[in-house]
Amino acid sequence: MKVKHPYSFAGSEHLITPALIYYRDLICKNTQTAIQTAKGAEHLWPHIKSHKMADVIRLSMNYGINRFKCATIAEAEVSASCGAKHILVAYPLVGPNIERFLHLSQAFPETHFYAIGDNLDMLTQLGKYASDNSRTIDVLVDVNMGMDRTGVPLNQLATFCNICSNISGITLKGLHCYDGHRTEHNYEERKKIAVSIDTELFSILKSIQEKIPSCELTILGGSPSFPCHTDFPGAFFSPGTLFIYDYGYSKKFPDLAYTPAAAILTRVISNPNYGIFSLDLGYKGIAADPKGTKGLLLGIDNYEEMFQSEEHWTFRMKPGHESECPKVGDEFFVIPTHICPTSALYPSAIVVEDGKIIDNWPVSARNRKITY
């Protein structure tokens, strides 16, 4: 059985499953929506962790996006290899990553690299390494917007920035303000809280800039929150998941006008009992987080999940619908609940446009190290 729906495409029967599928036309549409929300591509500084792909970076650049945010040195290397003009490694540089960051920036002199920091010892080490190599590194202070994952609390920000400005080997260029905890489902509620914090942040930023004029960049928000920050003067916005999107975001944020642009092609591999079917899609093929369903199974109703293991995902039909159970070999598509870790599970994505396979995009920064 091959169920027809918008994610179906010609030639799927020839693909090994499970397979990661990217839909180019939907990615383009999502990119255009993000640009419109940001009031121009020049205001976007998107994160590439959701896809880790050179091809998606190049597609973004075709739309005028030239700034990218990365979680790893490998992601930064891929972005630089694509010709990105500005790259922020939005992850604290510790241990060997300090040296790797410097070597990467030396290898791509046409790209402007930025590091972040929230720890004075780490920034001092970064500055010393840069000075020892006759370099200066541009740094954005990582701000704790209330998520308590990383960052300097707002009430300590001004003092921290003043100290940073005196560290040899680094230049304080701005603030990185990620609010990944801003996940209120109602847009008005999300917006109200974000604006309140932005007002406090802007006041602090103005006082910092009076003493440190080089502190001129502000990068705000994540995928759910960036529309709430677009009135912040002169800021850049850094959504990530929106370009590929997933089932989790579509459930949580009805105000976000994006369409999931990735799916997993899977097949039924067993009917172990009457009304029961197992897919070849365990948690080695789709992200195991968050709690609850790992994805939306398309083209079938009246089923419920039983359990998932490494290579299997088992379902049963609801009482009275056992005769509708899929058969071995039937194809299905699953929209992942969380696309970011799902993409990293695959070496490449099959690319579909207008119902046809058009390309195969490597997950270029899937590995932690490429060259540097």
Side-chain angles (χ1 to χ4, degrees):
M1 180 182 69
K2 190 172 182 178
V3 179
K4 293 289 185 181
H5 50 69
Y7 291 90
S8 298
F9 56 89
S12 61
E13 66 273 15
H14 301 299
L15 297 180
I16 298 170
T17 54
L20 175 65
I21 315 297
Y22 269 30
Y23 297 83
R24 188 182 184 279
D25 47 355
L26 296 179
I27 296 173
C28 290
K29 181 181 177 183
N30 289 342
T31 301
Q32 291 169 326
T33 301
I35 290 172
Q36 183 178 12
T37 302
K39 303 174 185 177
E42 67 274 16
H43 302 303
L44 283 172
W45 203 315
H47 208 311
I48 74 160
K49 67 181 180 63
S50 293
H51 53 81
K52 297 176 177 280
M53 293 183 185
D55 290 279
V56 178
I57 294 169
R58 286 191 284 263
L59 185 152
S60 302
M61 292 177 69
N62 288 340
Y63 281 99
I65 299 171
N66 285 300
R67 298 171 182 267
F68 297 93
K69 191 162 81 168
C70 306
T72 67
I73 301 295
E75 290 176 8
E77 180 177 343
V78 168
S79 301
S81 298
C82 292
K85 300 299 183 185
H86 300 266
I87 295 174
L88 170 67
V89 177
Y91 202 86
L93 297 173
V94 296
N97 282 345
I98 290 176
E99 182 178 2
R100 293 176 68 203
F101 178 86
L102 188 65
H103 288 171
L104 179 64
S105 64
Q106 290 173 324
F108 293 93
E110 300 301 315
T111 298
H112 194 149
F113 289 89
Y114 306 81
I116 67 165
D118 65 1
N119 180 275
L120 293 173
D121 288 340
M122 169 260 174
L123 288 172
T124 300
Q125 291 179 43
L126 181 64
K128 183 179 186 305
Y129 194 86
S131 296
D132 289 347
N133 287 273
S134 303
R135 299 291 299 274
T136 300
I137 292 176
D138 286 341
V139 168
L140 274 64
V141 170
D142 192 23
V143 181
N144 184 352
M145 300 287 281
M147 189 177 183
D148 289 337
R149 186 175 69 180
T150 62
V152 178
L154 285 174
N155 62 1
Q156 301 174 27
L157 186 57
T159 300
F160 188 91
C161 288
N162 285 337
I163 298 173
C164 281
S165 67
N166 292 313
I167 296 177
S168 178
I170 70 171
T171 300
L172 181 57
K173 298 296 288 186
L175 307 177
H176 172 252
C177 309
Y178 176 67
D179 52 356
H181 63 302
R182 195 85 291 123
T183 57
E184 295 80 13
H185 295 194
N186 180 275
Y187 171 75
E188 295 302 329
E189 180 183 358
R190 200 157 73 244
K191 172 82 170 178
K192 182 179 179 180
I193 297 172
V195 168
S196 174
I197 296 174
D198 283 355
T199 300
E200 181 181 1
L201 175 66
F202 185 72
S203 176
I204 297 170
L205 176 61
K206 295 299 288 183
S207 67
I208 293 172
Q209 290 175 333
E210 289 175 0
K211 297 180 179 179
I212 313 168
S214 65
C215 187
E216 57 187 2
L217 300 176
T218 309
I219 303 177
L220 289 167
S223 289
S225 66
F226 100 91
C228 305
H229 296 296
T230 53
D231 292 330
F232 196 101
F236 295 95
F237 312 110
S238 60
T241 305
L242 293 184
F243 299 90
I244 311 301
Y245 216 51
D246 55 28
Y247 178 54
Y249 270 38
S250 64
K251 281 196 308 179
K252 290 180 182 178
F253 307 109
D255 58 282
L256 298 179
Y258 299 84
T259 303
I264 305 296
L265 174 65
T266 181
R267 291 189 177 96
V268 177
I269 49 93
S270 181
N271 293 120
N273 210 330
Y274 183 59
I276 296 177
F277 63 101
S278 291
L279 302 175
D280 57 356
L281 186 58
Y283 48 74
K284 286 184 177 178
I286 190 169
D289 72 318
K291 293 181 180 179
T293 183
K294 305 303 182 288
L296 175 65
L297 181 58
L298 302 176
I300 184 172
D301 297 314
N302 302 309
Y303 69 91
E304 57 189 12
E305 181 178 350
M306 292 178 64
F307 59 88
Q308 187 182 41
S309 51
E310 292 183 41
E311 305 288 358
H312 305 76
W313 199 1
T314 302
F315 301 83
R316 64 180 163 215
M317 304 307 295
K318 293 180 179 179
H321 295 274
E322 290 87 353
S323 63
E324 302 167 17
C325 186
K327 304 296 188 294
V328 170
D330 287 351
E331 287 183 6
F332 286 97
F333 289 83
V334 176
I335 306 299
T337 296
H338 195 181
I339 186 57
C340 308
T342 297
S343 290
L345 295 172
Y346 292 84
S348 63
I350 304 297
V351 184
V352 170
E353 189 168 30
D354 296 327
K356 299 178 182 178
I357 298 173
I358 63 165
D359 210 341
N360 190 308
W361 290 349
V363 185
S364 313
R366 182 186 183 209
N367 294 330
R368 287 280 172 174
K369 182 178 180 181
I370 302 173
T371 306
Y372 302 97

